[in-house]
Amino acid sequence: MKEIANLHYFLGRGRAETTRWMLAVNQIEFKNIPIETPSMLAAIKSSGKLPFDQIPLLEIDGRNLSQSSAMVRYLARRGKFYPDDPKEAVWCDMIAGAVADFAEAAMQAAFQSTKEKATSDLIERFTKFGPRFEQRLIDNGSGFSVGNNLTFADVLLAESLNSYLDWIPDILQETPRVSALYQRVINTPGISNYLKSDQRYPVADDRYIIDVARVLKRYLPAHMDRPDRFV
Ligand SMILES: N[C@@H](CCC(=O)N[C@@H](CS)C(=O)NCC(=O)O)C(=O)O
């Protein structure tokens, strides 16, 4: 029987989304297993499958994988999206690190008190990193950010850009090479199918923020009604 990977996380993109894009580029069939209540979180924590007591959890190839960056790299190696050449591999790692810093603003956007604040944070972060990503593509010269082929660095960059574009649709106007790479990645068959599939969650909104706080029994952002309602 064909194995389907299981990805356990909240009912949304969050820290599981990079793994979903890497599963998609590998054309690995997967199922989202949403954690929707505190008791579901407690159950998965007591299952022995979470070495660090954190989600996401990816069940694949008979293993329980923790830490999204490890999942991404496992899937990159598995699908040959991680170069063998150490000099190229380290470029992928450097770009992946920069993308993680860049992506954090997008991850936090839905938690901001107003759309204006979210947008201005994103623009500030893009102003810092966008021209650097563009320069990297100029220097590498192949249309990809490392070597001559698609790597996980490109997939991570495209995933983070996708979130920026949800908020600011014209943000790639001044960075044509980044824009072209983005189009190239989202048009690869696996990712293009994933983005149209039932496994793709919508952009994070108040409902998602409330869901996560309820499951974690945490405070909501201070601007929301009754921020202590789940604590
Ligand atoms: N670096 C980790 C972060 C994981 C993380 O922070 N998970 C949170 C949810 S987004 C969690 O499991 N919180 C529950 C807990 O720590 O008890 C990754 O990227 O996988």
Side-chain angles (χ1 to χ4, degrees):
M1 203 174 78
K2 191 170 159 199
E3 193 204 4
I4 296 182
N6 285 329
L7 184 58
H8 302 255
Y9 195 63
F10 305 116
L11 205 57
R13 299 182 192 173
R15 300 206 182 270
E17 195 58 15
T18 52
T19 296
R20 294 190 187 102
W21 281 54
M22 286 303 298
L23 287 163
V25 77
N26 276 286
Q27 305 201 41
I28 296 170
E29 203 176 332
F30 71 96
K31 195 166 173 331
N32 287 316
I33 315 277
I35 297 171
E36 298 181 70
T37 62
S39 59
M40 287 169 89
L41 182 64
I44 198 161
K45 283 190 175 190
S46 58
S47 69
K49 292 181 178 180
L50 305 183
F52 308 109
D53 235 19
Q54 288 174 304
I55 51 171
L57 160 70
L58 176 64
E59 294 179 296
I60 189 169
D61 301 334
R63 286 164 200 279
N64 299 314
L65 305 189
S66 175
Q67 289 292 330
S68 54
S69 62
M71 296 169 197
V72 164
R73 282 166 173 77
Y74 178 76
L75 293 166
R77 289 194 178 92
R78 197 180 185 276
K80 310 260 178 270
F81 296 107
Y82 210 146
D84 291 331
D85 175 359
K87 294 191 191 80
E88 289 194 351
V90 78
W91 254 115
C92 285
D93 288 330
M94 290 194 290
I95 293 166
V99 168
D101 298 338
F102 174 66
E104 199 55 35
M107 196 85 75
Q108 296 307 321
F111 292 84
Q112 304 302 337
S113 53
T114 61
K115 186 165 190 267
E116 290 66 36
K117 168 81 170 96
T119 307
S120 78
D121 286 359
L122 288 169
I123 290 173
E124 192 185 318
R125 196 64 69 97
F126 190 87
T127 304
K128 176 174 168 63
F129 284 103
R132 300 292 168 159
F133 295 137
E134 184 75 5
Q135 189 59 48
R136 173 62 198 163
L137 287 166
I138 292 169
D139 294 345
N140 193 46
S142 70
F144 297 107
S145 59
V146 181
N148 293 316
N149 297 296
L150 185 74
T151 65
F152 76 100
D154 299 318
V155 176
L156 293 178
L157 179 55
E159 190 280 321
S160 64
L161 293 169
N162 180 266
S163 300
Y164 274 73
L165 288 162
D166 279 335
W167 289 85
I168 310 169
D170 62 356
I171 197 149
L172 300 184
Q173 246 172 11
E174 308 287 315
T175 52
R177 290 166 190 82
V178 174
S179 180
L181 175 67
Y182 173 73
Q183 288 302 329
R184 199 164 184 170
V185 173
I186 64 162
N187 287 315
T188 59
I191 291 180
S192 142
N193 287 337
Y194 162 61
L195 294 176
K196 289 181 274 193
S197 76
D198 291 348
Q199 301 303 317
R200 170 71 164 170
Y201 287 113
V203 62
D205 56 7
D206 281 0
R207 184 204 53 81
Y208 175 70
I209 305 301
I210 291 168
D211 257 19
V212 172
R214 186 170 43 78
V215 174
L216 292 174
K217 299 189 195 162
R218 292 244 170 105
Y219 285 95
L220 289 163
H223 68 273
M224 291 179 109
D225 181 38
R226 294 186 295 120
D228 58 353
R229 75 183 93 156
F230 302 119
V231 181

